Structures are given as C-alpha cells and as structure tokens.
Amino acid sequence: MLRMLLATGNVFFSLVLGAIAFGFVFIKYPDAMGSILDAAAGLKAWLTSRGLSTEYNNWVRVLLEERQLVFMGFTVLMRILLSIVTAVFERIWQRH
C-alpha cells in the first residue's frame, strides 16, 4: 500500500512541478518558451504529416496542441528528475 501511495504521490508531484517549471520558463525566459512552442508546433506538423488515415489524423490534430505537448515535456522532465532524486535518497537510506 505504501508503494502505491508513493508512486501516486510521485506522479502527482511531477505534474505540479511540471506546471511550476512551465510557468517559470514562460515568465522568466519568454524567448526560450517561444522556441519550445515552435518546436512543439513542428512536432505536431510532423505527426500529422505521417500519412495517417484522416480519422486518426483528425484525432491527433484535435488532441495534441502545442501547449499540451510542452506541458507533457516539462512533466516528463520533472518525472525523470524526481526519479533520480528518489534513487539517490534511497541509496543513502539503505546505507544507514
């Protein structure tokens, strides 16, 4: 039960940290955020030009927006960082 609670907390915490990182970059580094959003637009254009059938292509166009892709990227980055920090603390905890 504790393991499930920690995993759920880790996912929730990474979402919150991803939103904070998104806002921080948006406010403090607008040029970088513009570049990131442009890259997300390019990714969306690349995905929609893969030759998918129209029904699947419409789903991709509707469900994936640039800001959603950027937020997902920040959330994944925070998840990776949290996993690294958790692994370091787990190793320190096991030594003692």
Side-chain angles (χ1 to χ4, degrees):
M1 185 66 174
L2 177 63
R3 194 169 175 91
M4 186 175 80
L5 180 64
L6 288 174
T8 305
N10 195 347
V11 170
F12 176 75
F13 198 52
S14 66
L15 285 170
V16 171
L17 286 178
I20 291 170
F22 182 94
F24 177 78
V25 173
F26 188 84
I27 292 170
K28 291 290 187 179
Y29 303 103
D31 293 334
M33 182 56 86
S35 298
I36 294 169
L37 287 168
D38 290 341
L43 177 64
K44 181 180 177 182
W46 180 80
L47 284 172
T48 56
S49 68
R50 294 294 90 202
L52 294 171
S53 68
T54 305
E55 66 182 88
Y56 295 120
N57 206 16
N58 287 339
W59 279 107
V60 170
R61 289 172 50 195
V62 166
L63 293 177
L64 290 181
E65 294 181 2
E66 290 82 6
R67 61 191 160 105
Q68 291 172 333
L69 288 170
V70 172
F71 179 66
M72 284 189 291
F74 277 107
T75 302
V76 168
L77 180 65
M78 289 299 120
R79 181 94 165 120
I80 291 168
L81 290 175
L82 278 174
S83 296
I84 292 170
V85 168
T86 303
V88 168
F89 279 122
E90 185 178 348
R91 293 230 173 174
I92 291 171
W93 182 263
Q94 288 177 354
R95 286 185 183 172
H96 289 85

